[in-house]
Amino acid sequence: MHYVPISATRRSRYQSRLAVRLLPRRYIVSFIFANLIMQFGPVAPQAARQFMASAFHGAALLIIAFFLYRLASWLIAPLYTRLKQITIAFYRVLLAGEQTAAVGDFATNVIDTPRLRKPFLRLVEFLFSLSIWVTFISLIQPLATVLMWLIGFKLIDAELFDLAAVESTVEMMKLSVWWAGIVFLILFGWAQWNYWRYGRLERRKHRPAVTPVDLAVHYQTSLAAVHQAQTVKAAIVEVEDGQPRFSQIALKVGRRAGAIAVLALMLALPDQALAKTAAITLQQIGYEQDITVTGAKTAVTFSFPAPRLNLLPGSMASLTVEPGPFLNDQSNFTIYINDRAAAFYSAGQLRKKPAIQLPLTQDMLQSGSLRVAIAANLFATNDLCADYERGHLFYIIRNQSGVIYNYNPVIPKTVPEFFAGLTSGLLVVIPDQPTLAEITAGSWAYAQLQKQYPYLPVKLILAGERGNYPEVPRVWVALHNNLPANLTGYTQGIHLPFADLVLITAQDEGNLYNLSRQLGRTDWLQAANSANISVSLPAAAAAKERDKVFFGNNGPQEGILSIPVDFTLYPALLAEAPRSITIHLEGRYSPANISGKQVRLDVYFNRALIHSEALDGSGKINKEISLPPSVPLKSKNALSIQFVYPEEAGYCQVKGTIRSAQIFQSSYFAGNARLPVDKLTWDNIGMLFNKKGAILISDNPSPDAIRAVGELVLYLNRQLPPGEYAYPLVAFLKDWQQWLKQDYLAVLGLAEAIPEELWQAFPLQRGKGYTLLNNEGQAVTYRYHPVVNTIVGQIGNWQGCPLLSITASSDASALAGAIRKLNEQQNLASNIFLVGGASQLLPFKIADAQPADESDAAWTGFLRTFWERIARLGQKYEQAVFWAAGILLVLMLIKHYLTSRR
């Protein structure tokens, strides 16, 4: 133990030296902790949450703190000792004449009696001490700022936003009402007593009443005239020979005139006074990004929903078109609405004002959809080929473009009119205690309607939750014995009891399923145009087993140097999920005019070049192209066919000359072999979804679990082409062995609810650890822990039956959100995905098929569980933790100060 001589004190006035230990390690740690709080105090709550969210981050910070501690021990301790020595030397200089050796005595009288020292020395000592204290206070100012910030923030939160503040306000209002009632009773009682005591006394002297005779004498008229004047309510007064004569006015005529006037005023009000507005943008119908159109002569068409509305002035198509910076101002754009030219613009005009607003009329909505097309002839210079190769020929359509309907609501009278007039949203309602049939039919209805109306917010709710949502149209799906009292009078069928309610009900499960399927058959609904559709229903059509799926264009595509023709292929339309496909192309094209050079055909499949060849110049195409094994097949595939023309001298100087190509509708694709179950991924499992399947859930599902079922059925439907729907049945997990003959099986719920035997069919098993690879090839260790809620999606198989599961480790309410994120993903070429605390969906592949050692998983799982519990406690008692840390830090500083004064 080392000692530094400083001065004598009253505590050691008989000994002339003071033993002060050099800075211990715990003070170094407190110094580092204080500085960390000073540096990161303003973001302390957020930093704490992030720190506690991950054990790995905590371990990394502990390692960094350890190295900082070692560095501080090496650097700060000698520096502190040196500062102490300088301080001692300074005191010795100030107390010259009373200097002692390292173990000598200071003059006790001078120390104990400051007035014996010279005033100048006392002043210098006071100023020096004051400067040191000011410096010290400035150093702890960030800590004080953090503490005050926390206190102020929590105080504001507690006073303004906490429920306790609301309760105190309500209590104060109650007391005010009670006090007002008491005051009212006092005043009312006092008034009644005064009335009872004095109100019946008559102390005023009244003049005698004026009689009709007095009036007749005063006005020099007859008693009959006075009586007539008193009884008539509305009259015309005429004076003849000095005598008034009254003519009665019929009040009925006046009332009728007033009613007519009010009615005329109501009819004269503008329609806009009761109008509503609905906006549908490109983003709402699936265009998540702005659209860039490239080419010299292009045409792009958008189809917007056209609800059944009474349009009013102010309805418009609102487009934002921004020409490329290199385009010539004379490049022209033509806007078509329902194949009719509506406006013409030049690139120069659009540069000045890119926003286009075109009025809409009632006749444009008759077809049920509104088609808006933009045809453009673009050029930058006289050399179109050079413009194209330099990338100068393009323009941008913002995805906020769309249509705005200003309308008066139409009261629907039939079921098709109800669905045709939807503009604000839709609720699919099932009973509070639904059966499996009602969950199944309700989720089908929800998925079909959300797929048909992607621009509308459709929700699947229970009947008791209706008060939590705004007043929007509703579709009620229930068996007849579960209907509310006001709907029990309706028999089996699809009914319109009220203008904002469609009822789907049946006596048994089979008919309820069949009725729910009809929501996807809009042609049948239109044919049965009624408010009560209870006729004999057509049987549910089974999925057509096709060996070939045809595709093609209705008309030719045009271009200059390149003509792209694009299609979306859905292998789910085939009889079985194929391992690969063969594409058969038939069509025609404009031959090249240059001798010795031919048109090149490039075929891209999911952006991968699968075929390229020079055509024979005949102007016709008849090819079969096989998909290479290296190119994976997905549920939705992008096929792009490009006709590339050689450059011809002088051709590109002729603006307006175009070439054309067309793929006939006799083109098709066919499947090759059957996709093995072990090759299924989240990208291609959608090829099974238009076949028979089932979703397994736990007994007594919660409202969150039911909503997750609806989201999963919506995900299945979005993997299929327009007009095709998935209809999986919903069953209980305990009966899973009865459903293994389905074409696919989905498991949804908590991981601990899945039977242990079924876990063996999945890549990741409960309670074990694995090494996973992400998209970048980085290894990630995964271990199942029930404490932290993690959503795991994986694909497996049970004896050849494809299985997909989406499970939560502790909280089923997060399942619906995770499935919505799955709906937003496009490239998931893996059979596993995880959704953790950051709510980000990440795909993985298994790098090591062997699970980690059980003993290792056990003790690391225990440590992680212990850490996660501490993290949750820290988050729950965040304010108490920071207060405790601040108090401990202040106590440590005070202890250090008192120790140094000994």
Side-chain angles (χ1 to χ4, degrees):
M1 187 174 294
H2 302 279
Y3 300 90
V4 176
I6 295 182
S7 66
T9 64
R10 294 175 183 174
R11 187 175 179 180
S12 59
R13 59 178 69 216
Y14 299 109
Q15 297 181 0
S16 59
R17 65 179 183 175
L18 172 66
V20 180
R21 288 185 299 176
L22 290 177
L23 191 64
R25 292 184 176 181
R26 63 175 176 269
Y27 294 144
I28 297 175
V29 174
S30 66
F31 176 80
I32 296 172
F33 183 66
N35 277 275
L36 287 174
I37 292 183
M38 294 177 198
Q39 296 297 326
F40 302 106
V43 292
Q46 181 180 357
R49 294 190 188 97
Q50 294 177 352
F51 172 77
M52 295 175 180
S54 173
F56 299 105
H57 292 174
L61 289 179
L62 288 177
I63 294 173
I64 294 172
F66 173 76
F67 280 108
L68 288 176
Y69 156 72
R70 299 298 299 175
L71 181 63
S73 301
W74 183 61
L75 293 177
I76 299 177
L79 179 61
Y80 179 83
T81 305
R82 185 59 180 165
L83 289 176
K84 287 287 186 181
Q85 294 174 354
I86 293 174
T87 305
I88 294 169
F90 183 77
Y91 272 105
R92 289 175 176 174
V93 172
L94 291 179
L95 303 176
E98 297 168 336
Q99 180 179 1
T100 64
V103 293
D105 294 334
F106 284 97
T108 305
N109 293 334
V110 174
I111 295 297
D112 294 339
T113 313
R115 66 176 179 273
L116 297 180
R117 297 203 305 271
K118 295 179 181 180
F120 176 74
L121 292 179
R122 292 203 305 271
L123 177 62
V124 171
E125 182 180 356
F126 171 75
L127 293 176
F128 177 74
S129 178
L130 180 63
S131 64
I132 295 300
W133 275 107
V134 170
T135 303
F136 179 74
I137 292 173
S138 66
L139 290 176
I140 67 172
Q141 182 183 359
L143 175 60
T145 302
V146 171
L147 293 177
M148 293 302 103
W149 175 78
L150 287 175
I151 294 172
F153 177 79
K154 298 298 182 182
L155 182 63
I156 291 174
D157 181 68
E159 295 296 333
L160 296 183
F161 305 107
D162 281 359
L163 290 177
V166 177
E167 292 174 358
S168 63
T169 303
V170 173
E171 190 66 25
M172 181 187 67
M173 295 176 66
K174 289 180 180 178
L175 292 176
S176 300
V177 172
W178 278 106
W179 180 247
I182 293 172
V183 172
F184 167 77
L185 291 177
I186 294 174
L187 294 177
F188 182 77
W190 175 254
Q192 292 299 316
W193 185 85
N194 277 278
Y195 176 76
W196 176 81
R197 177 66 180 81
Y198 302 107
R200 293 173 295 178
L201 300 179
E202 186 65 41
R203 293 189 176 94
R204 298 181 180 89
K205 293 183 179 180
H206 297 281
R207 294 189 179 189
V210 179
T211 63
V213 176
D214 296 332
L215 290 175
V217 172
H218 179 75
Y219 289 105
Q220 297 181 0
T221 184
S222 63
L223 285 174
V226 172
H227 179 72
Q228 187 179 12
Q230 289 177 338
T231 57
V232 72
K233 293 183 178 180
I236 299 175
V237 182
E238 297 178 353
V239 180
E240 295 180 358
D241 300 331
Q243 296 296 323
R245 185 169 61 86
F246 300 91
S247 300
Q248 175 74 36
I249 299 176
L251 290 179
K252 291 185 178 180
V253 178
R255 291 196 184 99
R256 188 180 298 117
I260 294 174
V262 172
L263 180 60
L265 180 62
M266 294 178 61
L267 294 176
L269 287 175
D271 291 339
Q272 288 82 350
L274 302 175
K276 293 185 178 181
T277 301
I280 304 175
T281 64
L282 291 174
Q283 186 177 19
Q284 291 176 307
I285 61 175
Y287 295 89
E288 297 180 357
Q289 298 179 349
D290 297 334
I291 301 101
T292 300
V293 184
T294 304
K297 187 176 180 64
T298 61
V300 58
T301 303
F302 306 104
S303 181
F304 294 96
R308 182 177 176 271
L309 307 170
N310 286 333
L311 283 188
L312 299 174
S315 302
M316 67 183 72
S318 178
L319 308 174
T320 301
V321 180
E322 299 179 0
F326 304 101
L327 290 182
N328 191 289
D329 286 346
Q330 300 302 317
S331 299
N332 59 81
F333 298 80
T334 305
I335 314 297
Y336 295 88
I337 297 180
N338 287 347
D339 303 326
R340 294 183 180 181
F344 303 90
Y345 294 92
S346 67
Q349 291 174 323
L350 292 177
R351 282 197 180 95
K352 296 178 181 178
K353 186 179 179 181
I356 302 173
Q357 294 181 348
L358 303 175
L360 301 178
T361 57
Q362 186 70 42
D363 60 335
M364 295 179 179
L365 305 184
Q366 300 302 323
S367 62
S369 65
L370 187 72
R371 297 180 306 280
V372 179
I374 303 176
N377 288 315
L378 309 180
F379 69 97
T381 64
N382 289 330
D383 192 341
L384 284 179
C385 297
D387 296 341
Y388 181 81
E389 292 173 353
R390 294 168 185 165
H392 292 176
L393 304 180
F394 72 92
Y395 65 95
I396 299 174
I397 304 172
R398 298 298 178 187
N399 66 345
Q400 295 303 317
S401 303
V403 294
I404 300 174
Y405 297 128
N406 190 28
Y407 65 96
N408 273 335
V410 177
I411 299 178
K413 297 181 180 179
T414 64
V415 173
E417 290 179 359
F418 172 88
F419 290 109
L422 293 176
T423 57
S424 57
L426 187 65
L427 296 179
V428 177
V429 187
I430 59 177
D432 286 326
Q433 300 295 329
T435 63
L436 283 177
E438 289 167 334
I439 296 176
T440 301
S443 61
W444 290 1
Y446 164 75
Q448 292 177 100
L449 293 171
Q450 186 65 88
K451 184 176 180 180
Q452 292 178 30
Y453 305 97
Y455 57 93
L456 290 180
V458 182
K459 303 291 183 182
L460 175 62
I461 65 171
L462 301 182
E465 300 175 324
R466 180 187 166 189
N468 302 330
Y469 294 88
E471 288 293 332
V472 295
R474 306 177 307 283
V475 174
W476 194 292
V477 181
L479 291 171
H480 193 270
N481 56 3
N482 270 355
L483 288 177
N486 62 333
L487 298 177
T488 54
Y490 292 90
T491 58
Q492 176 175 292
I494 304 177
H495 307 280
L496 186 70
F498 310 104
D500 61 345
L501 174 65
V502 162
L503 173 64
I504 301 177
T505 184
Q507 300 289 344
D508 54 76
E509 297 180 0
N511 282 317
L512 187 64
Y513 294 157
N514 199 15
L515 285 167
S516 297
R517 289 173 182 262
Q518 309 310 318
L519 295 179
R521 303 175 63 180
T522 55
D523 54 343
W524 181 82
L525 284 176
Q526 292 293 340
N529 192 10
S530 172
N532 297 287
I533 305 176
S534 56
V535 297
S536 178
L537 299 173
K544 296 180 180 179
E545 295 188 355
R546 289 176 279 189
D547 296 329
K548 301 176 182 179
V549 178
F550 292 89
F551 63 92
N553 296 121
N554 293 325
Q557 307 294 307
E558 298 176 338
I560 302 295
L561 293 178
S562 177
I563 305 175
V565 186
D566 300 328
F567 302 97
T568 301
L569 306 185
Y570 292 89
L573 298 176
L574 295 170
E576 59 181 12
R579 184 165 193 166
S580 180
I581 60 172
T582 298
I583 303 171
H584 176 78
L585 297 178
E586 295 182 13
R588 62 185 179 188
Y589 61 94
S590 300
N593 297 325
I594 304 177
S595 176
K597 292 187 178 181
Q598 302 298 334
V599 179
R600 189 176 78 248
L601 174 67
D602 293 338
V603 180
Y604 294 85
F605 193 86
N606 291 332
R607 297 187 178 183
L609 181 64
I610 63 171
H611 183 81
S612 182
E613 68 167 316
L615 299 177
D616 55 11
S618 63
K620 297 181 180 180
I621 179 174
N622 193 325
K623 300 286 181 183
E624 285 204 1
I625 302 170
S626 297
L627 187 66
S630 59
V631 180
L633 191 62
K634 301 180 180 181
S635 303
K636 294 187 292 186
N637 302 276
L639 175 65
S640 179
I641 304 168
Q642 296 189 6
F643 297 86
V644 183
Y645 287 82
E647 293 188 19
E648 181 179 350
Y651 176 81
C652 294
Q653 277 71 32
V654 183
K655 295 189 292 291
T657 303
I658 57 173
R659 300 175 171 116
S660 63
Q662 180 181 4
I663 299 298
F664 295 151
Q665 294 182 348
S666 55
S667 302
Y668 62 86
F669 67 89
N672 300 327
R674 183 173 184 176
L675 181 67
V677 178
D678 58 352
K679 298 296 182 181
L680 288 173
T681 66
W682 290 104
D683 264 350
N684 60 25
I685 195 171
M687 293 188 288
L688 303 173
F689 290 161
N690 69 332
K691 300 170 178 59
K692 293 182 179 180
I695 299 176
L696 304 180
I697 60 176
S698 303
D699 298 349
N700 300 320
S702 64
D704 291 321
I706 294 174
R707 274 186 282 272
V709 172
E711 294 295 334
L712 182 58
V713 177
L714 177 60
Y715 167 73
L716 305 183
N717 277 277
R718 284 182 170 168
Q719 307 306 307
L720 302 176
E724 294 286 333
Y725 298 97
Y727 298 108
L729 297 175
V730 181
F732 289 135
L733 262 171
K734 62 182 180 181
D735 304 324
W736 65 275
Q737 292 181 341
Q738 303 176 12
W739 298 91
L740 293 176
K741 295 183 179 180
Q742 301 291 316
D743 292 311
Y744 66 92
L745 203 59
V747 180
L748 189 64
L750 292 175
E752 59 186 18
I754 300 178
E756 191 64 32
E757 187 179 4
L758 191 58
W759 268 113
Q760 309 301 322
F762 294 107
L764 303 183
Q765 299 181 17
R766 183 173 56 196
K768 298 182 180 180
Y770 298 87
T771 300
L772 307 178
L773 296 178
N774 59 15
N775 285 341
E776 288 74 25
Q778 298 173 344
V780 177
T781 301
Y782 166 77
R783 300 185 189 280
Y784 168 82
H785 295 291
V787 178
V788 176
N789 193 45
T790 303
I791 308 299
V792 180
Q794 50 183 329
I795 297 174
N797 73 90
W798 178 274
Q799 299 177 358
C801 176
L803 300 177
L804 63 147
S805 74
I806 302 178
T807 58
S809 41
S810 61
D811 186 8
S813 62
L815 287 172
I819 299 173
R820 280 193 291 270
K821 292 185 178 297
L822 179 63
N823 266 312
E824 298 170 0
Q825 298 291 325
Q826 295 182 354
N827 295 311
L828 280 177
S830 64
N831 61 343
I832 300 171
F833 72 80
L834 302 177
V835 181
S839 298
Q840 182 180 3
L841 191 146
L842 301 174
F844 291 96
K845 295 180 180 179
I846 290 186
D848 186 2
Q850 296 297 327
D853 183 48
E854 289 293 332
S855 61
D856 177 70
W859 73 266
T860 55
F862 172 77
L863 291 179
R864 181 172 298 200
T865 303
F866 177 73
W867 176 262
E868 289 163 350
R869 289 179 178 175
I870 294 177
R872 287 202 306 276
L873 288 175
Q875 293 177 354
K876 184 176 181 180
Y877 303 104
E878 178 184 329
Q879 184 178 8
V881 169
F882 276 94
W883 270 103
I887 292 172
L888 289 176
L889 178 61
V890 172
L891 291 176
M892 292 172 65
L893 292 174
I894 294 174
K895 180 182 178 182
H896 173 64
Y897 172 74
L898 294 177
T899 305
S900 65
R901 295 284 293 173
R902 291 176 184 174

